[in-house]
């Protein structure tokens, strides 16, 4: 076990250095820690609208930009997706343990933590947070409770400092949503509200346990100031070391990108076209970028379509795509080509089944596959089957995603070269979402950036979203239904770690053999950072958290790590 | 009186039409905004979905007709609900209104003045060089799409020369106050958007004013004024101008709709957080309550202006009362 | 401008019926502004018809260096994907011009039918139609456009539909006034006496007399349509895959072309839109003086020094 982890860590680091060509060296150790509290951090992440000055961490509109969870509110334990082999980092819980065949989860809650209004934090707050989801189902955002379709059946305080979660079935993967993805809120404030309407509580002066507090908020800017009584502080080692944080609101990318390029912000979470010349080139000694991949972007066939339901057609599409070109032209090289096995690398390199051969770019092989399946090329250069049905499809995509549009232009040309005609159809995000969820499409471009399964510490989370039959209608867009796949995902929940790797190997084999969808590029966390005055940034060589300002609760980890430098 | 009654009647009919359009359009397109928002979580919680749907204003369990009457009732009592983010629509509109009002109000007045003066001068010195150049130049400029003027101004003054900021209404991190430095900051940010609007809309008023002036100048009372030996300026403005401007008032009010539209594009271009930008994001987000509130607001603004213009015309020009 | 001025339209004078094409040509050639407009439009039509002659590259060929600044090889630089901006600009002319003309023709046609029907039938029909026209005139155009476009599937068809819906009312009032002035002319009384149906009278008898007003209305509408179509696409409510100047602007804006160094990717199509609009507006000057002799340019009399306020004789 230890050896595999060590090898995996080494391989991960090696792959980071080798594969992520677009990012720079990331030497954070060049900035010296002054050891004193001070400095101001300015965050640059385009939220698309002015701030409403509400900080309710159960309001999905507020969660998205990362303004409340986790600078202010914190999770029980922090799970780092980028280092999925590592154990979780204790936060409000000092330890956790599964028992009863992964059906009982016990957390030991940390002592000595206080809320920012001075009241002590305890296990009761944790139990309250989860039980409140029963009174107001809307705040059960991850559908944990059994009444909302999840496996959780009870949450109760045990003794003075333990909380016990009981599940109706083995539920290892739920750990991520319970421990990492749920913000803990203070019982003494929230229990006084209307319990059935917790989701609409504005929470304009949030009380949390986290490293920062909201000191003022206007539609244009949120100002945070450090929490002087933050529990991570020790004598001689104050945490956090940054004194103030500004988080301005940007309505669109252009002013946001310019603000960053002019050096007025140090922490960016932006997609910047031509980032090298636009941003890095202005101060290459201090400005860095790093885009760790976390979630696939894919070309998704609707398996109920009679032509796309045929394996040779999907195989032909997979062989026809030159993902390196799609990545270069469509995403400006900022998103790496993806793998047909569905595993995002190098992030989850340790889960890859290297014995599997994946389809490589080969237009000749694509056409050969079509021919041997009985398709013939028509006079217009497009293949058709024996009944004359042409391989001509529409691809639905979200209007306004210019990088997707660019990638699709490349894909259109590549498919045309092997005799498959596709037309791109832009849709606004709402009809797009209901179309892909409802199966009203032939081909679709979907994944990271659009509505998609959320990532987790391992390929299981994303792939279950794409392939589990229970997700048809939500994230299983291709409508893939396989009893074998379902069984594998269910087994995973109760399996040991090496068994889980084996299970994922089998899922990968299914991805390669049956091609339920075709990952094209790997969606990334957008991240720019400036080391002129601030150090302690997450980097390729030190990926202690997902680095974007909008990743929660990873942003809390970053905020606690940063320090003013000389 | 009959004139006024007819105009108020038109006002009410237009209001009803706007409300109905506002109601129908989002319901025609399929698509579930709530589902789009929640689709990113692990599993969609059906209770959360339902609650969000109600918040979005689409209650699938209600018949369309009863939704319609409920909607009409809500509009008339000013209940527009909350936006997708949970903020009351009225307070969102209220917080953005001053910025758009400032921008659009000031630029419209300036553009009107420029255009009208140019029209009056061109008409008075008709046939001269001024008349040959100014009105066509202004008019052609007004056919240029306003966003292109904005793009040019951004390119020249913000990107190349770096004299003025690229967008926004005040600098990031500045705290709003009535201090001189803040006001200066606001003005700096408003300059390019305002300039774009003024350049493009000045031309709208030139021709109507000029043509009205030309027709008016031919009138007997103007000849009388000049024959009496009154100073030119007095005749130009006091006799001719005052009468020529009358038909312009209603046109002015109706052009307001066009100016408001231009403001939407300009606010988008400059990321200026006013009502225009809010409307744009509300429609692309399919934020139904906010969209409905804003569209209604726009329609009301134009209607009120038209009504005021009509009232003024009725008061100032006795001839219309006979109509 | 006779046709864009609402106030003047209420007193629209009688228009000569004979020799319309010859008169038009004389007006265009005689008026410098109109001639300039005609030249611009002819160039545009030529470019739309034969784009391959001017820009042999395919506009979608992503074969060049990405985001290049203008050079002799690429007059306007390249896009983020490596396409030649100049080629895209030229090839976009066709669809842009087509959409503008088709939408304006249909909108003018609807406008004419509604306006003349209201004028001819009078009474309740007139009052109802006038209310409808006024409602459409008052409803704020761009917000309505955005509202409609946001809910329809993005593309040229939706764009055309929403533009027609929001613009048909622009000229309806002028056309109605013109119809009113013609209503009681002798040839119409004769037609009615003959027993011809209303629709026949409208289409065959009345409309041809309004040809110059219709042409002027059509051109005025073109000016607005060009701008509004581009504005909608710029806001992202069009289909970025379809090649039009407005979608080029949108793509350029999304790629922050102005700031990234290939500014002509944005300024090029913007200038093209402005030029096309100006062309239509200039050409419309030819009709201005036909319609209202009082507005005909006054020929300067050399010997006169007092140029003030001399009314048209």
């Amino acid at each position: 076990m230890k050896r595999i982890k060590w090898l995996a860590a080494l391989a991960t680091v090696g792959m980071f250095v080798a594969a992520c060509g677009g990012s720079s060296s990331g030497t954070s150790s060049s900035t010296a820690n002054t050891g004193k509290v001070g400095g101001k951090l300015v965050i640059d992440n385009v939220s698309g609208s002015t701030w409403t000055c509400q900080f309710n961490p159960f309001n999905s509109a507020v969660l998205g930009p990362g303004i409340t969870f986790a600078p202010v509110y914190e999770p029980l334990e922090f799970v780092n997706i980028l280092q999925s082999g590592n154990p979780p980092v204790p936060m409000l819980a000092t330890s956790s343990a599964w028992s009863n065949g992964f059906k009982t989860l016990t957390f030991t809650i940390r002592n000595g933590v206080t809320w920012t209004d001075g009241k002590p934090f305890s296990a009761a707050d944790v139990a309250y947070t989860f039980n409140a989801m029963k009174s107001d189902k809307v705040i059960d955002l991850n559908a944990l409770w059994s009444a909302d379709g999840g496996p959780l059946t009870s949450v109760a305080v045990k003794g003075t400092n333990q909380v016990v979660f009981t599940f109706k079935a083995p539920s290892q993967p739920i750990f991520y949503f319970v421990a990492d993805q749920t913000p803990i809120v203070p019982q003494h404030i929230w229990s006084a509200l209307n319990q059935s309407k917790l989701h609409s509580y504005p929470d304009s002066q949030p009380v949390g346990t986290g490293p920062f507090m909201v000191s003022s908020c206007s539609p244009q800017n949120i100002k945070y100031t450090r929490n002087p009584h933050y529990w991570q502080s020790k004598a001689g080692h104050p945490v956090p070391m940054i004194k103030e944080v500004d988080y301005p609101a940007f309505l669109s990318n252009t002013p946001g990108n310019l603000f960053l390029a002019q050096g007025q912000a140090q922490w960016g979470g932006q997609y910047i076209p031509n980032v090298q010349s636009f941003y890095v080139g202005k101060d290459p000694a201090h400005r860095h970028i790093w885009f760790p991949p976390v979630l696939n972007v894919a070309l998704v066939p609707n398996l109920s379509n009679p032509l796309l339901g045929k394996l040779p057609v999907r195989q032909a599409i997979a062989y026809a795509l030159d993902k390196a070109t799609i990545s270069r032209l469509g995403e400006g090289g900022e998103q790496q080509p993806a793998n047909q096995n569905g595993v995002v690398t190098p992030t989850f390199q340790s889960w890859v089944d290297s014995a599997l051969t994946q389809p490589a770019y080969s237009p000749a092989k694509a056409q050969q596959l079509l021919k041997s399946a009985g398709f013939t090329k028509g006079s217009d250069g497009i293949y058709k089957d024996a009944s004359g049905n042409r391989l001509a499809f529409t691809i639905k995509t979200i209007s306004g995603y210019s990088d997707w549009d660019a990638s699709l232009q490349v894909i259109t040309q590549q498919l045309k070269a092997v005799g498959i005609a596709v037309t791109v159809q832009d849709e606004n995000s709402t009809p797009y979402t209901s179309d892909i969820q409802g199966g009203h499409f032939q081909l679709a471009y979907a994944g990271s950036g659009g509505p998609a399964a959320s990532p987790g510490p391992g390929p299981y989370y994303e792939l279950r979203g794409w392939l589990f039959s229970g997700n048809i209608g939500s994230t299983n867009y291709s409508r893939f239904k396989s009893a074998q796949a379902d069984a594998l995902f269910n087994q995973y929940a109760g399996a040991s770690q090496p068994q889980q790797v084996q299970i994922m190997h089998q899922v990968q084999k299914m991805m390669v053999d049956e091609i339920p969808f075709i990952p094209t590029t790997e969606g990334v966390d957008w991240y720019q950072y400036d080391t002129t005055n601030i150090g302690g940034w997450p980097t390729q060589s030190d990926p202690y958290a997902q680095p974007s300002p909008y990743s929660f609760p990873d942003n809390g980890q970053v905020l606690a790590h940063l320090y003013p430098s000389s | 009186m009959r004139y006024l009654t007819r105009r108020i009647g038109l006002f009410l009919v237009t209001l009803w039409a706007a409300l109905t359009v506002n109601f129908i359009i989002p319901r025609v397109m399929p698509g579930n905004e709530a589902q789009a928002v929640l689709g990113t979580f692990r599993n969609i919680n059906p209770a959360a979905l339902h609650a969000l749907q109600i918040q979005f204003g689409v209650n699938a369990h209600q018949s369309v007709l009863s939704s319609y009457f409920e909607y009409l009732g809500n509009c008339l009592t000013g209940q527009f609900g909350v936006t997708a983010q949970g903020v009351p629509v009225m307070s969102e509109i209220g917080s953005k209104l001053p910025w758009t009002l400032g921008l659009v109000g000031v630029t419209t007045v300036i553009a009107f003045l420029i255009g009208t003066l140019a029209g009056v001068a061109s008409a008075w010195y008709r046939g001269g060089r001024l008349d040959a150049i100014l009105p066509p130049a202004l008019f052609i400029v007004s056919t240029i799409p306003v966003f292109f003027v904005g793009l040019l101004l951004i390119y020249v003054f913000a990107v190349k020369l770096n004299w003025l900021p690229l967008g926004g209404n005040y600098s990031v991190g500045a705290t709003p106050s009535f201090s001189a430095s803040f006001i200066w900051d606001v003005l700096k940010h408003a300059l390019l958007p305002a300039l774009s609007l003024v350049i493009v809309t000045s031309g709208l008023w030139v021709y109507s004013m000029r043509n009205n002036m030309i027709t008016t100048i031919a009138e007997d009372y103007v000849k009388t004024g000049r024959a009496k030996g009154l100073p030119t300026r007095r005749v130009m403005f006091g006799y001719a101008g005052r009468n020529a401007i009358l038909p312009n008032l209603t046109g002015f009010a109706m052009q307001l709709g066009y100016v408001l539209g231009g403001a939407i594009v300009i606010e988008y271009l400059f990321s200026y957080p006013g009502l225009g930008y809010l409307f744009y994001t509300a429609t692309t987000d399919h934020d139904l309550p906010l969209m409905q509130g804003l569209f209604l607001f726009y329609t009301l603004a134009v209607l009120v202006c038209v009504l005021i213009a009509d009232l003024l015309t009725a008061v100032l020009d006795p001839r219309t009362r006979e109509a | 401008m006779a046709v864009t001025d609402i106030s003047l339209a209420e007193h629209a004078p009688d228009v000569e019926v004979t020799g319309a094409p010859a008169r038009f040509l004389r007006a265009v050639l005689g008026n410098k502004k109109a001639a300039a407009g005609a030249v611009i439009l002819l160039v545009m039509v030529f470019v739309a018809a034969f784009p391959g002659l001017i820009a042999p590259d395919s506009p979608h060929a992503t074969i060049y260096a990405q985001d290049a600044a203008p050079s002799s090889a690429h007059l306007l630089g390249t896009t983020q994907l490596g396409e030649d901006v100049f080629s895209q600009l030229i090839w976009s002319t066709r669809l842009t011009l087509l959409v503008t003309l088709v939408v304006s023709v249909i909108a003018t046609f609807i406008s004419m039918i509604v306006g003349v029907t209201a004028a001819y039938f009078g009474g309740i029909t007139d009052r109802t139609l006038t209310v409808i026209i006024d409602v459409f005139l008052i409803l704020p155009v761009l917000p309505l456009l955005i509202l409609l476009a946001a809910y329809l599937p993005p593309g040229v068809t939706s764009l055309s539909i929403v533009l027609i819906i929001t613009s048909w009312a622009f000229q309806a009032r002028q056309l109605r006034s013109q119809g009113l002035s013609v209503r009681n002319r002798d040839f119409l009384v004769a037609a009615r006496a003959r027993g011809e149906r209303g629709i026949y009278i409208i289409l065959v008898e009345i409309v041809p007399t309004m040809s110059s007003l219709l042409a002027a209305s059509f051109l005025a509408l073109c000016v607005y349509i060009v701008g509004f179509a581009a504005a909608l696409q710029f806001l992202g409510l069009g289909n970025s895959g379809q090649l039009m100047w407005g979608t080029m602007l949108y793509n350029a804006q999304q790629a922050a072309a102005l700031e990234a160094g290939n500014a002509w990717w944005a300024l090029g199509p913007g200038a093209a839109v402005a030029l096309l609009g100006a062309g239509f507006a200039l050409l419309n000057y030819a009709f201005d003086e036909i319609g209202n002799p009082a507005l005909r340019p006054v020929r300067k009399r050399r010997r006169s020094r007092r140029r003030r306020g001399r009314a048209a004789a």
Side-chain angles (χ1 to χ4, degrees), chain A residues 158-391:
Chain A
K158 182 169 127 183
T160 49
N161 65 345
Q162 289 195 318
V163 182
V164 179
F165 290 73
T166 320
F167 300 90
K168 64 182 183 195
S171 300
Q172 265 191 99
I174 307 293
F175 179 83
Y176 174 66
F177 299 101
V178 165
D180 179 272
Q181 291 283 295
T182 307
I184 306 299
V185 297
Q187 179 183 30
H188 63 273
I189 295 184
W190 287 65
S191 58
L193 308 168
N194 180 346
Q195 294 301 290
S196 61
K197 290 253 191 307
L198 290 174
H199 64 276
S200 45
Y201 170 49
D203 201 12
S204 31
Q205 276 150 345
V207 169
T209 56
F212 282 88
M213 313 185 294
V214 176
S215 68
S216 75
C217 177
S218 74
Q220 251 71 359
N221 189 26
I222 305 177
K223 279 185 182 313
Y224 298 88
T225 184
R226 73 184 286 274
N227 179 356
H229 305 292
Y230 186 48
W231 58 267
Q232 283 192 33
S233 284
K234 301 201 187 334
H237 293 285
V239 179
M241 299 202 66
I242 299 290
K243 190 147 160 259
E244 284 176 356
V245 178
D246 266 2
Y247 197 157
F250 291 103
L251 296 179
S252 63
N253 271 333
T254 310
N257 290 345
L258 208 72
F259 192 69
L260 197 61
Q262 286 167 347
Q264 302 199 51
Q266 298 83 30
W267 188 13
Q270 289 294 94
Y271 166 57
I272 303 180
N274 289 331
V275 63
Q276 286 291 348
S277 59
F278 190 79
Y279 173 70
V280 181
K282 298 207 165 77
D283 183 5
H286 296 113
R287 293 188 178 187
H288 310 277
I289 54 176
W290 173 41
F291 306 132
V294 282
L295 203 63
N296 284 305
V297 180
L299 189 59
V300 184
N302 185 345
L303 295 171
S304 344
N305 178 298
L307 288 171
L308 291 168
K310 296 192 161 76
L311 180 59
V313 175
R314 301 198 301 277
Q315 284 174 325
I317 296 179
Y319 278 96
L321 295 183
D322 176 9
K323 298 180 189 178
T325 309
I326 298 174
S327 154
R328 178 172 60 87
L329 290 183
E331 300 289 341
E334 298 182 15
Q335 287 186 358
Q336 303 304 308
N339 306 307
Q340 182 53 43
N341 60 23
V343 178
V344 172
T345 54
T347 308
F348 299 131
Q349 187 62 39
S350 55
W351 296 83
V352 170
D353 181 357
S354 36
L356 270 182
T357 13
Q358 309 199 57
Y361 172 53
S362 169
K365 175 119 199 229
Q367 297 208 49
Q368 187 208 2
L369 281 163
L370 288 175
K371 287 195 186 111
S372 22
F375 288 89
T376 45
K377 209 178 221 186
S379 51
D380 56 355
I382 306 301
Y383 279 92
K384 50 188 207 279
D385 68 2
S387 330
N389 300 310
R390 291 166 73 237
L391 289 183

Side-chain angles (χ1 to χ4, degrees), chain A residues 63-121:
Chain A
L63 258 189
I67 57 175
T68 178
F69 181 43
V72 176
Y73 293 101
E74 293 189 300
L76 288 171
E77 298 193 40
F78 167 60
V79 175
N80 186 2
I81 290 182
L82 299 180
Q83 292 180 315
S84 53
N86 289 5
V89 174
M91 296 290 290
L92 290 177
T94 51
S95 66
S96 58
W98 284 102
S99 55
N100 195 9
F102 297 115
K103 291 205 281 204
T104 307
L105 179 61
T106 310
F107 286 92
T108 307
I109 305 300
R110 186 181 295 274
N111 285 326
V113 182
T114 47
W115 294 100
T116 47
D117 64 357
K119 304 262 192 324
F121 162 80

Side-chain angles (χ1 to χ4, degrees), chain C residues 41-93:
Chain C
L41 289 176
L42 281 173
V43 169
M44 294 284 180
V45 169
F46 179 77
V47 170
F50 307 109
L53 287 181
I54 308 170
D57 288 323
S58 163
H60 287 303
T62 57
I63 52 182
Y64 300 111
Q66 293 165 272
D67 281 315
S71 63
S72 51
H74 301 287
L75 285 175
L76 294 176
T78 61
T79 69
Q80 197 188 351
L81 289 183
E83 302 150 319
D84 183 30
V85 173
F86 182 69
S87 293
Q88 282 206 331
L89 192 67
I90 297 297
W91 284 85
S92 304
T93 314

Side-chain angles (χ1 to χ4, degrees), chain B residues 117 120-121 124-125 213 217 222 225-226 229-243, chain C residues 308-309:
Chain B
L117 280 172
V120 168
W124 196 257
Y125 298 107
M213 273 292 277
I217 284 170
V222 174
R226 286 178 47 235
L230 292 172
T232 313
R233 190 164 295 168
R234 177 108 186 267
V235 182
M236 200 156 92
F237 288 107
Y239 280 63
R242 226 174 74 182
N243 283 298
Chain C
R308 298 204 208 143

Side-chain angles (χ1 to χ4, degrees), chain B residues 174-259:
Chain B
T175 15
S177 65
F178 283 109
S179 67
S181 63
F182 182 72
I183 293 184
W184 176 237
D185 194 32
V186 170
L187 285 175
K188 258 202 313 190
H189 280 83
L191 186 59
L192 286 183
L195 200 57
S196 314
L197 281 173
V198 166
I199 290 176
V200 170
T201 53
S202 298
L204 293 177
W205 318 119
V206 176
Y207 268 104
S208 40
M209 196 57 200
R210 173 183 175 272
N211 296 344
N212 291 341
M213 273 292 277
I214 289 175
T215 321
T216 311
I217 284 170
E219 300 279 351
D220 287 341
Y221 58 86
V222 174
K223 272 201 221 150
T224 313
R226 286 178 47 235
K228 268 161 62 172
L230 292 172
T232 313
R233 190 164 295 168
R234 177 108 186 267
V235 182
M236 200 156 92
F237 288 107
Y239 280 63
R242 226 174 74 182
N243 283 298
I245 215 177
L246 282 176
N248 229 7
L249 275 180
T250 316
F252 173 85
M254 292 176 88
Q255 300 277 29
L256 191 66
Y258 180 73
V259 178

Side-chain angles (χ1 to χ4, degrees), chain C residues 10 140 162 203 224:
Chain C
E10 302 295 343
V162 306
L203 283 178
Y224 286 113

